[in-house]
Amino acid sequence: MQRKAYVSGAAVLLAAVLAGCTGGSGVGSSAPDSKGGDTGTTAAVAQPGKYRTLPEACGAADHDTLDALLPGIQETTDETQQERAYAGEATLTYDTDRRDGCDWKVASAAATDHLFVDFERVVSYDNTVSDEGKAEELYAARQTAADLPEPTASVSGDATPSPSGSTVGPADTGNGAAGDATSGAPSSPASPSASQPPADLQPRVLDDLGDEAFLDDKLSTGSSTAQQRTVTVVFRTSNVIVTIEYSEQPTASANTPDSKEMQDRAQKLAQELASRLNG
């Protein structure tokens, strides 16, 4: 009985050894949990942004550009003061690779002009969100806060019939200022007021600047009775957000800064800054 038991135990042991030898992986074999149990794989980390540094804000605009934006510079006869005006004043920052800004404020005989340029390089501290993705979030918040009006269809010069059958021209505001619509008398075109620029100059999204951009245009009363116009252009290129604020307050209270002229100047500077970032 003891010999029989010994033989059976040896047979069992031999079978176990043989099973271990023949059960190893061969050509084309795979472990059943090789994918799920691979502890060497890690979750994908969001990519860093395209930009690692920023241009110097106070050197971002050349003299010709500043002459157009700040006419008072050319009226300055003192060379030292003129160079100081061109140089601008750097805003306080603790890391110029993350944020850099510059202010210019110059008075002329006709008005006081103020220009502010700000570069912000966005860095995401969330491994699941890229720097560019974080910049998109911040830009979207800026655009939402600007509360841009809904885009309006372009206004044609043709009059359209109203439901009552009377002819209503595009300049007819319904308050009698554009003529008597009910009598059929032609309405005289009313020019847009200084506080309400035409449709193509309203605050809006810009399609040809950076990855995304918008423009805002506001009138306000400054320290005097003269109205101050401020044109703001904000655009994003990858993980950098650029802000331009350009304001003008005329010396004479009866004057109002021209919206188109200021918008054109601000957009021209924005295009130059975008080219500099991508250059």
Side-chain angles (χ1 to χ4, degrees):
M1 293 295 292
Q2 292 180 352
R3 181 178 177 82
K4 184 178 180 181
Y6 175 78
V7 172
S8 299
V12 171
L13 179 61
L14 179 60
V17 171
L18 290 174
C21 293
T22 59
S25 60
V27 177
S29 65
S30 61
D33 294 327
S34 60
K35 183 176 181 181
D38 185 5
T39 57
T41 59
T42 57
V45 177
Q47 293 298 312
K50 175 182 177 181
Y51 299 100
R52 303 296 183 91
T53 59
L54 291 173
E56 181 189 358
C58 284
D62 60 30
H63 283 198
D64 289 341
T65 300
L66 292 175
D67 285 342
L69 291 158
L70 310 166
I73 291 181
Q74 292 182 305
E75 295 182 12
T76 304
T77 56
D78 186 280
E79 291 186 4
T80 302
Q81 291 183 1
Q82 189 178 68
E83 286 304 314
R84 189 177 301 156
Y86 278 126
E89 183 177 351
T91 55
L92 179 63
T93 182
Y94 297 99
D95 185 354
T96 54
D97 284 335
R98 287 290 306 277
R99 192 154 199 167
D100 198 23
C102 193
D103 266 301
W104 294 263
K105 189 172 184 179
V106 184
S108 67
T112 297
D113 294 281
H114 175 222
L115 173 66
F116 171 66
V117 172
D118 178 76
F119 293 99
E120 179 182 4
R121 183 174 67 89
V122 179
V123 176
S124 172
Y125 293 101
D126 184 345
N127 286 338
T128 64
V129 180
S130 68
D131 293 348
E132 183 168 354
K134 185 64 177 177
E136 289 177 358
E137 293 178 14
L138 295 178
Y139 170 86
R142 292 282 302 276
Q143 182 173 315
T144 300
D147 194 22
L148 304 180
E150 291 294 329
T152 56
S154 59
V155 179
S156 66
D158 298 330
T160 56
S162 68
S164 62
S166 61
T167 301
V168 180
D172 191 351
T173 60
N175 59 6
D180 188 356
T182 58
S183 66
S187 300
S188 58
S191 59
S193 66
S195 60
Q196 294 294 330
D200 59 340
L201 296 178
Q202 290 286 330
R204 63 199 180 277
V205 170
L206 302 175
D207 298 325
D208 56 350
L209 179 60
D211 294 325
E212 49 188 345
F214 71 87
L215 179 148
D216 201 1
D217 188 331
K218 294 186 183 300
L219 268 178
S220 60
T221 302
S223 56
S224 67
T225 56
Q227 288 188 307
Q228 174 178 292
R229 183 179 298 281
T230 300
V231 174
T232 303
V233 176
V234 179
F235 71 90
R236 180 186 66 81
T237 298
S238 187
N239 62 314
V240 170
I241 299 175
V242 181
T243 302
I244 297 170
E245 290 181 3
Y246 177 42
S247 63
E248 180 172 290
Q249 183 167 356
T251 303
S253 59
N255 296 337
T256 301
D258 183 82
S259 184
K260 184 179 188 308
E261 186 177 68
M262 292 187 64
Q263 288 190 24
D264 287 347
R265 291 173 181 174
Q267 289 185 84
K268 183 173 184 282
L269 173 59
Q271 292 288 358
E272 291 176 4
L273 299 184
S275 297
R276 180 160 184 171
L277 280 170
N278 295 323

PDB file of all heavy atoms in Angstrom, residues 51 120 122 131-140 209-214 233-243 274 277-278:
ATOM      1  N   TYR A  51       4.069  77.880 -28.104  1.00  0.00           N
ATOM      2  CA  TYR A  51       4.974  78.961 -27.711  1.00  0.00           C
ATOM      3  C   TYR A  51       5.535  78.735 -26.308  1.00  0.00           C
ATOM      4  O   TYR A  51       4.795  78.377 -25.385  1.00  0.00           O
ATOM      5  CB  TYR A  51       4.252  80.316 -27.776  1.00  0.00           C
ATOM      6  CG  TYR A  51       3.769  80.651 -29.164  1.00  0.00           C
ATOM      7  CD1 TYR A  51       2.432  80.455 -29.525  1.00  0.00           C
ATOM      8  CD2 TYR A  51       4.633  81.151 -30.129  1.00  0.00           C
ATOM      9  CE1 TYR A  51       1.981  80.745 -30.800  1.00  0.00           C
ATOM     10  CE2 TYR A  51       4.193  81.446 -31.405  1.00  0.00           C
ATOM     11  CZ  TYR A  51       2.864  81.245 -31.739  1.00  0.00           C
ATOM     12  OH  TYR A  51       2.421  81.530 -33.013  1.00  0.00           O
ATOM     13  N   GLU A 120      -0.158  87.149 -23.358  1.00  0.00           N
ATOM     14  CA  GLU A 120      -0.314  86.162 -22.288  1.00  0.00           C
ATOM     15  C   GLU A 120      -0.078  84.766 -22.857  1.00  0.00           C
ATOM     16  O   GLU A 120      -0.792  84.322 -23.764  1.00  0.00           O
ATOM     17  CB  GLU A 120      -1.706  86.236 -21.671  1.00  0.00           C
ATOM     18  CG  GLU A 120      -1.917  85.209 -20.558  1.00  0.00           C
ATOM     19  CD  GLU A 120      -3.315  85.241 -19.965  1.00  0.00           C
ATOM     20  OE1 GLU A 120      -4.150  86.015 -20.470  1.00  0.00           O
ATOM     21  OE2 GLU A 120      -3.564  84.485 -19.007  1.00  0.00           O
ATOM     22  N   VAL A 122      -0.424  81.006 -22.180  1.00  0.00           N
ATOM     23  CA  VAL A 122      -1.233  80.178 -21.289  1.00  0.00           C
ATOM     24  C   VAL A 122      -0.557  78.828 -21.075  1.00  0.00           C
ATOM     25  O   VAL A 122      -0.118  78.172 -22.030  1.00  0.00           O
ATOM     26  CB  VAL A 122      -2.649  79.980 -21.862  1.00  0.00           C
ATOM     27  CG1 VAL A 122      -3.479  79.099 -20.943  1.00  0.00           C
ATOM     28  CG2 VAL A 122      -3.325  81.332 -22.077  1.00  0.00           C
ATOM     29  N   ASP A 131      -2.072  73.055 -23.281  1.00  0.00           N
ATOM     30  CA  ASP A 131      -1.941  74.510 -23.133  1.00  0.00           C
ATOM     31  C   ASP A 131      -2.864  75.237 -24.104  1.00  0.00           C
ATOM     32  O   ASP A 131      -3.499  76.237 -23.748  1.00  0.00           O
ATOM     33  CB  ASP A 131      -0.486  74.934 -23.391  1.00  0.00           C
ATOM     34  CG  ASP A 131       0.468  74.431 -22.322  1.00  0.00           C
ATOM     35  OD1 ASP A 131      -0.004  73.955 -21.277  1.00  0.00           O
ATOM     36  OD2 ASP A 131       1.693  74.499 -22.543  1.00  0.00           O
ATOM     37  N   GLU A 132      -2.942  74.728 -25.331  1.00  0.00           N
ATOM     38  CA  GLU A 132      -3.802  75.371 -26.324  1.00  0.00           C
ATOM     39  C   GLU A 132      -5.274  75.228 -25.927  1.00  0.00           C
ATOM     40  O   GLU A 132      -6.064  76.156 -26.092  1.00  0.00           O
ATOM     41  CB  GLU A 132      -3.571  74.775 -27.705  1.00  0.00           C
ATOM     42  CG  GLU A 132      -4.377  75.446 -28.795  1.00  0.00           C
ATOM     43  CD  GLU A 132      -3.955  75.058 -30.197  1.00  0.00           C
ATOM     44  OE1 GLU A 132      -2.943  74.332 -30.336  1.00  0.00           O
ATOM     45  OE2 GLU A 132      -4.629  75.480 -31.151  1.00  0.00           O
ATOM     46  N   GLY A 133      -5.634  74.062 -25.405  1.00  0.00           N
ATOM     47  CA  GLY A 133      -7.011  73.869 -24.959  1.00  0.00           C
ATOM     48  C   GLY A 133      -7.383  74.819 -23.837  1.00  0.00           C
ATOM     49  O   GLY A 133      -8.494  75.370 -23.808  1.00  0.00           O
ATOM     50  N   LYS A 134      -6.458  75.048 -22.910  1.00  0.00           N
ATOM     51  CA  LYS A 134      -6.702  75.992 -21.815  1.00  0.00           C
ATOM     52  C   LYS A 134      -6.820  77.407 -22.366  1.00  0.00           C
ATOM     53  O   LYS A 134      -7.663  78.201 -21.908  1.00  0.00           O
ATOM     54  CB  LYS A 134      -5.572  75.906 -20.789  1.00  0.00           C
ATOM     55  CG  LYS A 134      -5.807  76.762 -19.544  1.00  0.00           C
ATOM     56  CD  LYS A 134      -7.012  76.300 -18.751  1.00  0.00           C
ATOM     57  CE  LYS A 134      -7.196  77.095 -17.482  1.00  0.00           C
ATOM     58  NZ  LYS A 134      -8.415  76.698 -16.737  1.00  0.00           N
ATOM     59  N   ALA A 135      -5.983  77.751 -23.340  1.00  0.00           N
ATOM     60  CA  ALA A 135      -6.055  79.076 -23.959  1.00  0.00           C
ATOM     61  C   ALA A 135      -7.391  79.276 -24.657  1.00  0.00           C
ATOM     62  O   ALA A 135      -7.968  80.372 -24.618  1.00  0.00           O
ATOM     63  CB  ALA A 135      -4.902  79.261 -24.948  1.00  0.00           C
ATOM     64  N   GLU A 136      -7.909  78.234 -25.283  1.00  0.00           N
ATOM     65  CA  GLU A 136      -9.227  78.326 -25.917  1.00  0.00           C
ATOM     66  C   GLU A 136     -10.298  78.640 -24.881  1.00  0.00           C
ATOM     67  O   GLU A 136     -11.200  79.450 -25.134  1.00  0.00           O
ATOM     68  CB  GLU A 136      -9.559  77.007 -26.627  1.00  0.00           C
ATOM     69  CG  GLU A 136      -8.735  76.752 -27.878  1.00  0.00           C
ATOM     70  CD  GLU A 136      -9.055  75.406 -28.499  1.00  0.00           C
ATOM     71  OE1 GLU A 136      -9.883  74.667 -27.916  1.00  0.00           O
ATOM     72  OE2 GLU A 136      -8.491  75.092 -29.545  1.00  0.00           O
ATOM     73  N   GLU A 137     -10.214  78.008 -23.716  1.00  0.00           N
ATOM     74  CA  GLU A 137     -11.191  78.269 -22.650  1.00  0.00           C
ATOM     75  C   GLU A 137     -11.124  79.725 -22.192  1.00  0.00           C
ATOM     76  O   GLU A 137     -12.158  80.384 -22.045  1.00  0.00           O
ATOM     77  CB  GLU A 137     -10.923  77.347 -21.463  1.00  0.00           C
ATOM     78  CG  GLU A 137     -11.175  75.872 -21.720  1.00  0.00           C
ATOM     79  CD  GLU A 137     -10.842  75.025 -20.511  1.00  0.00           C
ATOM     80  OE1 GLU A 137     -10.666  75.599 -19.409  1.00  0.00           O
ATOM     81  OE2 GLU A 137     -10.739  73.796 -20.649  1.00  0.00           O
ATOM     82  N   LEU A 138      -9.912  80.233 -21.963  1.00  0.00           N
ATOM     83  CA  LEU A 138      -9.757  81.603 -21.483  1.00  0.00           C
ATOM     84  C   LEU A 138     -10.211  82.602 -22.539  1.00  0.00           C
ATOM     85  O   LEU A 138     -10.860  83.610 -22.222  1.00  0.00           O
ATOM     86  CB  LEU A 138      -8.298  81.861 -21.098  1.00  0.00           C
ATOM     87  CG  LEU A 138      -7.759  81.053 -19.912  1.00  0.00           C
ATOM     88  CD1 LEU A 138      -6.292  81.367 -19.671  1.00  0.00           C
ATOM     89  CD2 LEU A 138      -8.567  81.330 -18.646  1.00  0.00           C
ATOM     90  N   TYR A 139      -9.878  82.331 -23.796  1.00  0.00           N
ATOM     91  CA  TYR A 139     -10.315  83.229 -24.863  1.00  0.00           C
ATOM     92  C   TYR A 139     -11.838  83.246 -24.951  1.00  0.00           C
ATOM     93  O   TYR A 139     -12.450  84.316 -25.096  1.00  0.00           O
ATOM     94  CB  TYR A 139      -9.709  82.812 -26.204  1.00  0.00           C
ATOM     95  CG  TYR A 139     -10.314  83.569 -27.361  1.00  0.00           C
ATOM     96  CD1 TYR A 139      -9.817  84.814 -27.733  1.00  0.00           C
ATOM     97  CD2 TYR A 139     -11.428  83.070 -28.045  1.00  0.00           C
ATOM     98  CE1 TYR A 139     -10.401  85.537 -28.767  1.00  0.00           C
ATOM     99  CE2 TYR A 139     -12.023  83.788 -29.067  1.00  0.00           C
ATOM    100  CZ  TYR A 139     -11.504  85.014 -29.429  1.00  0.00           C
ATOM    101  OH  TYR A 139     -12.090  85.739 -30.438  1.00  0.00           O
ATOM    102  N   ALA A 140     -12.463  82.079 -24.886  1.00  0.00           N
ATOM    103  CA  ALA A 140     -13.927  82.005 -24.964  1.00  0.00           C
ATOM    104  C   ALA A 140     -14.580  82.818 -23.850  1.00  0.00           C
ATOM    105  O   ALA A 140     -15.594  83.486 -24.064  1.00  0.00           O
ATOM    106  CB  ALA A 140     -14.380  80.549 -24.901  1.00  0.00           C
ATOM    107  N   LEU A 209      -7.734  86.747 -38.407  1.00  0.00           N
ATOM    108  CA  LEU A 209      -6.702  87.130 -37.450  1.00  0.00           C
ATOM    109  C   LEU A 209      -6.464  85.982 -36.472  1.00  0.00           C
ATOM    110  O   LEU A 209      -7.375  85.607 -35.720  1.00  0.00           O
ATOM    111  CB  LEU A 209      -7.133  88.388 -36.692  1.00  0.00           C
ATOM    112  CG  LEU A 209      -6.187  88.923 -35.618  1.00  0.00           C
ATOM    113  CD1 LEU A 209      -4.826  89.290 -36.211  1.00  0.00           C
ATOM    114  CD2 LEU A 209      -6.797  90.135 -34.912  1.00  0.00           C
ATOM    115  N   GLY A 210      -5.246  85.426 -36.485  1.00  0.00           N
ATOM    116  CA  GLY A 210      -4.907  84.348 -35.570  1.00  0.00           C
ATOM    117  C   GLY A 210      -5.821  83.143 -35.752  1.00  0.00           C
ATOM    118  O   GLY A 210      -6.419  82.921 -36.807  1.00  0.00           O
ATOM    119  N   ASP A 211      -5.929  82.332 -34.699  1.00  0.00           N
ATOM    120  CA  ASP A 211      -6.842  81.185 -34.717  1.00  0.00           C
ATOM    121  C   ASP A 211      -8.280  81.617 -34.467  1.00  0.00           C
ATOM    122  O   ASP A 211      -9.216  80.995 -34.966  1.00  0.00           O
ATOM    123  CB  ASP A 211      -6.414  80.157 -33.661  1.00  0.00           C
ATOM    124  CG  ASP A 211      -5.067  79.531 -33.980  1.00  0.00           C
ATOM    125  OD1 ASP A 211      -4.782  79.340 -35.181  1.00  0.00           O
ATOM    126  OD2 ASP A 211      -4.301  79.239 -33.055  1.00  0.00           O
ATOM    127  N   GLU A 212      -8.464  82.650 -33.677  1.00  0.00           N
ATOM    128  CA  GLU A 212      -9.783  83.232 -33.424  1.00  0.00           C
ATOM    129  C   GLU A 212      -9.569  84.629 -32.847  1.00  0.00           C
ATOM    130  O   GLU A 212      -8.570  84.897 -32.179  1.00  0.00           O
ATOM    131  CB  GLU A 212     -10.614  82.354 -32.477  1.00  0.00           C
ATOM    132  CG  GLU A 212      -9.896  81.906 -31.222  1.00  0.00           C
ATOM    133  CD  GLU A 212     -10.705  80.892 -30.434  1.00  0.00           C
ATOM    134  OE1 GLU A 212     -11.922  80.749 -30.686  1.00  0.00           O
ATOM    135  OE2 GLU A 212     -10.134  80.240 -29.539  1.00  0.00           O
ATOM    136  N   ALA A 213     -10.518  85.516 -33.116  1.00  0.00           N
ATOM    137  CA  ALA A 213     -10.340  86.912 -32.704  1.00  0.00           C
ATOM    138  C   ALA A 213     -11.694  87.613 -32.659  1.00  0.00           C
ATOM    139  O   ALA A 213     -12.658  87.200 -33.304  1.00  0.00           O
ATOM    140  CB  ALA A 213      -9.403  87.638 -33.675  1.00  0.00           C
ATOM    141  N   PHE A 214     -11.736  88.702 -31.884  1.00  0.00           N
ATOM    142  CA  PHE A 214     -12.920  89.561 -31.885  1.00  0.00           C
ATOM    143  C   PHE A 214     -12.492  91.005 -31.669  1.00  0.00           C
ATOM    144  O   PHE A 214     -11.379  91.284 -31.198  1.00  0.00           O
ATOM    145  CB  PHE A 214     -13.948  89.133 -30.833  1.00  0.00           C
ATOM    146  CG  PHE A 214     -13.562  89.393 -29.392  1.00  0.00           C
ATOM    147  CD1 PHE A 214     -13.821  90.617 -28.782  1.00  0.00           C
ATOM    148  CD2 PHE A 214     -12.948  88.397 -28.640  1.00  0.00           C
ATOM    149  CE1 PHE A 214     -13.471  90.849 -27.453  1.00  0.00           C
ATOM    150  CE2 PHE A 214     -12.596  88.620 -27.311  1.00  0.00           C
ATOM    151  CZ  PHE A 214     -12.863  89.849 -26.717  1.00  0.00           C
ATOM    152  N   VAL A 233      -9.051  94.828 -29.478  1.00  0.00           N
ATOM    153  CA  VAL A 233      -8.896  93.651 -30.336  1.00  0.00           C
ATOM    154  C   VAL A 233      -8.226  92.559 -29.507  1.00  0.00           C
ATOM    155  O   VAL A 233      -7.176  92.791 -28.903  1.00  0.00           O
ATOM    156  CB  VAL A 233      -8.044  93.958 -31.588  1.00  0.00           C
ATOM    157  CG1 VAL A 233      -7.827  92.672 -32.400  1.00  0.00           C
ATOM    158  CG2 VAL A 233      -8.710  95.023 -32.444  1.00  0.00           C
ATOM    159  N   VAL A 234      -8.860  91.399 -29.458  1.00  0.00           N
ATOM    160  CA  VAL A 234      -8.305  90.244 -28.736  1.00  0.00           C
ATOM    161  C   VAL A 234      -8.209  89.092 -29.721  1.00  0.00           C
ATOM    162  O   VAL A 234      -9.178  88.790 -30.420  1.00  0.00           O
ATOM    163  CB  VAL A 234      -9.194  89.841 -27.541  1.00  0.00           C
ATOM    164  CG1 VAL A 234      -8.601  88.629 -26.816  1.00  0.00           C
ATOM    165  CG2 VAL A 234      -9.363  91.009 -26.574  1.00  0.00           C
ATOM    166  N   PHE A 235      -7.031  88.466 -29.792  1.00  0.00           N
ATOM    167  CA  PHE A 235      -6.917  87.297 -30.655  1.00  0.00           C
ATOM    168  C   PHE A 235      -6.051  86.236 -29.984  1.00  0.00           C
ATOM    169  O   PHE A 235      -5.241  86.521 -29.110  1.00  0.00           O
ATOM    170  CB  PHE A 235      -6.370  87.667 -32.044  1.00  0.00           C
ATOM    171  CG  PHE A 235      -4.920  88.059 -32.097  1.00  0.00           C
ATOM    172  CD1 PHE A 235      -3.916  87.111 -32.318  1.00  0.00           C
ATOM    173  CD2 PHE A 235      -4.545  89.389 -31.958  1.00  0.00           C
ATOM    174  CE1 PHE A 235      -2.582  87.482 -32.403  1.00  0.00           C
ATOM    175  CE2 PHE A 235      -3.212  89.768 -32.034  1.00  0.00           C
ATOM    176  CZ  PHE A 235      -2.226  88.810 -32.254  1.00  0.00           C
ATOM    177  N   ARG A 236      -6.296  84.994 -30.412  1.00  0.00           N
ATOM    178  CA  ARG A 236      -5.533  83.858 -29.875  1.00  0.00           C
ATOM    179  C   ARG A 236      -4.787  83.172 -31.005  1.00  0.00           C
ATOM    180  O   ARG A 236      -5.342  82.922 -32.082  1.00  0.00           O
ATOM    181  CB  ARG A 236      -6.468  82.843 -29.213  1.00  0.00           C
ATOM    182  CG  ARG A 236      -5.731  81.625 -28.634  1.00  0.00           C
ATOM    183  CD  ARG A 236      -6.692  80.567 -28.127  1.00  0.00           C
ATOM    184  NE  ARG A 236      -7.467  79.963 -29.198  1.00  0.00           N
ATOM    185  CZ  ARG A 236      -7.018  78.985 -29.993  1.00  0.00           C
ATOM    186  NH1 ARG A 236      -5.792  78.521 -29.844  1.00  0.00           N
ATOM    187  NH2 ARG A 236      -7.790  78.495 -30.938  1.00  0.00           N
ATOM    188  N   THR A 237      -3.520  82.878 -30.756  1.00  0.00           N
ATOM    189  CA  THR A 237      -2.713  82.059 -31.656  1.00  0.00           C
ATOM    190  C   THR A 237      -2.133  80.927 -30.822  1.00  0.00           C
ATOM    191  O   THR A 237      -1.285  81.176 -29.950  1.00  0.00           O
ATOM    192  CB  THR A 237      -1.585  82.876 -32.311  1.00  0.00           C
ATOM    193  OG1 THR A 237      -2.160  83.919 -33.110  1.00  0.00           O
ATOM    194  CG2 THR A 237      -0.732  82.005 -33.194  1.00  0.00           C
ATOM    195  N   SER A 238      -2.619  79.717 -31.040  1.00  0.00           N
ATOM    196  CA  SER A 238      -2.224  78.555 -30.233  1.00  0.00           C
ATOM    197  C   SER A 238      -2.436  78.856 -28.759  1.00  0.00           C
ATOM    198  O   SER A 238      -3.548  79.149 -28.343  1.00  0.00           O
ATOM    199  CB  SER A 238      -0.777  78.148 -30.533  1.00  0.00           C
ATOM    200  OG  SER A 238      -0.448  76.942 -29.878  1.00  0.00           O
ATOM    201  N   ASN A 239      -1.360  78.860 -27.960  1.00  0.00           N
ATOM    202  CA  ASN A 239      -1.527  79.063 -26.514  1.00  0.00           C
ATOM    203  C   ASN A 239      -1.171  80.478 -26.070  1.00  0.00           C
ATOM    204  O   ASN A 239      -0.892  80.706 -24.889  1.00  0.00           O
ATOM    205  CB  ASN A 239      -0.674  78.053 -25.726  1.00  0.00           C
ATOM    206  CG  ASN A 239       0.813  78.204 -25.987  1.00  0.00           C
ATOM    207  OD1 ASN A 239       1.236  78.329 -27.131  1.00  0.00           O
ATOM    208  ND2 ASN A 239       1.621  78.173 -24.938  1.00  0.00           N
ATOM    209  N   VAL A 240      -1.186  81.436 -26.989  1.00  0.00           N
ATOM    210  CA  VAL A 240      -0.919  82.840 -26.649  1.00  0.00           C
ATOM    211  C   VAL A 240      -2.161  83.677 -26.967  1.00  0.00           C
ATOM    212  O   VAL A 240      -2.737  83.568 -28.048  1.00  0.00           O
ATOM    213  CB  VAL A 240       0.304  83.380 -27.412  1.00  0.00           C
ATOM    214  CG1 VAL A 240       0.420  84.894 -27.232  1.00  0.00           C
ATOM    215  CG2 VAL A 240       1.579  82.711 -26.919  1.00  0.00           C
ATOM    216  N   ILE A 241      -2.546  84.503 -26.005  1.00  0.00           N
ATOM    217  CA  ILE A 241      -3.670  85.435 -26.181  1.00  0.00           C
ATOM    218  C   ILE A 241      -3.101  86.854 -26.189  1.00  0.00           C
ATOM    219  O   ILE A 241      -2.359  87.237 -25.283  1.00  0.00           O
ATOM    220  CB  ILE A 241      -4.709  85.285 -25.063  1.00  0.00           C
ATOM    221  CG1 ILE A 241      -5.304  83.869 -25.071  1.00  0.00           C
ATOM    222  CG2 ILE A 241      -5.817  86.314 -25.214  1.00  0.00           C
ATOM    223  CD1 ILE A 241      -6.247  83.595 -23.917  1.00  0.00           C
ATOM    224  N   VAL A 242      -3.446  87.607 -27.213  1.00  0.00           N
ATOM    225  CA  VAL A 242      -2.946  88.979 -27.371  1.00  0.00           C
ATOM    226  C   VAL A 242      -4.122  89.947 -27.238  1.00  0.00           C
ATOM    227  O   VAL A 242      -5.180  89.738 -27.833  1.00  0.00           O
ATOM    228  CB  VAL A 242      -2.259  89.165 -28.738  1.00  0.00           C
ATOM    229  CG1 VAL A 242      -1.719  90.597 -28.872  1.00  0.00           C
ATOM    230  CG2 VAL A 242      -1.135  88.155 -28.924  1.00  0.00           C
ATOM    231  N   THR A 243      -3.917  90.992 -26.450  1.00  0.00           N
ATOM    232  CA  THR A 243      -4.939  92.021 -26.253  1.00  0.00           C
ATOM    233  C   THR A 243      -4.383  93.382 -26.654  1.00  0.00           C
ATOM    234  O   THR A 243      -3.280  93.745 -26.233  1.00  0.00           O
ATOM    235  CB  THR A 243      -5.398  92.071 -24.787  1.00  0.00           C
ATOM    236  OG1 THR A 243      -5.895  90.791 -24.396  1.00  0.00           O
ATOM    237  CG2 THR A 243      -6.489  93.114 -24.592  1.00  0.00           C
ATOM    238  N   ALA A 274       0.501  89.415 -34.856  1.00  0.00           N
ATOM    239  CA  ALA A 274       0.285  88.013 -35.226  1.00  0.00           C
ATOM    240  C   ALA A 274       1.419  87.520 -36.117  1.00  0.00           C
ATOM    241  O   ALA A 274       1.908  86.392 -35.957  1.00  0.00           O
ATOM    242  CB  ALA A 274      -1.064  87.869 -35.928  1.00  0.00           C
ATOM    243  N   LEU A 277       4.496  86.892 -33.995  1.00  0.00           N
ATOM    244  CA  LEU A 277       4.430  85.632 -33.254  1.00  0.00           C
ATOM    245  C   LEU A 277       4.739  84.441 -34.142  1.00  0.00           C
ATOM    246  O   LEU A 277       5.392  83.486 -33.726  1.00  0.00           O
ATOM    247  CB  LEU A 277       3.034  85.456 -32.646  1.00  0.00           C
ATOM    248  CG  LEU A 277       2.738  86.217 -31.344  1.00  0.00           C
ATOM    249  CD1 LEU A 277       1.253  86.133 -31.022  1.00  0.00           C
ATOM    250  CD2 LEU A 277       3.556  85.653 -30.184  1.00  0.00           C
ATOM    251  N   ASN A 278       4.274  84.485 -35.383  1.00  0.00           N
ATOM    252  CA  ASN A 278       4.434  83.357 -36.286  1.00  0.00           C
ATOM    253  C   ASN A 278       5.713  83.432 -37.118  1.00  0.00           C
ATOM    254  O   ASN A 278       5.999  82.509 -37.880  1.00  0.00           O
ATOM    255  CB  ASN A 278       3.230  83.262 -37.238  1.00  0.00           C
ATOM    256  CG  ASN A 278       1.945  82.963 -36.480  1.00  0.00           C
ATOM    257  OD1 ASN A 278       1.952  82.212 -35.514  1.00  0.00           O
ATOM    258  ND2 ASN A 278       0.836  83.550 -36.917  1.00  0.00           N
TER     259      ASN A 278
END
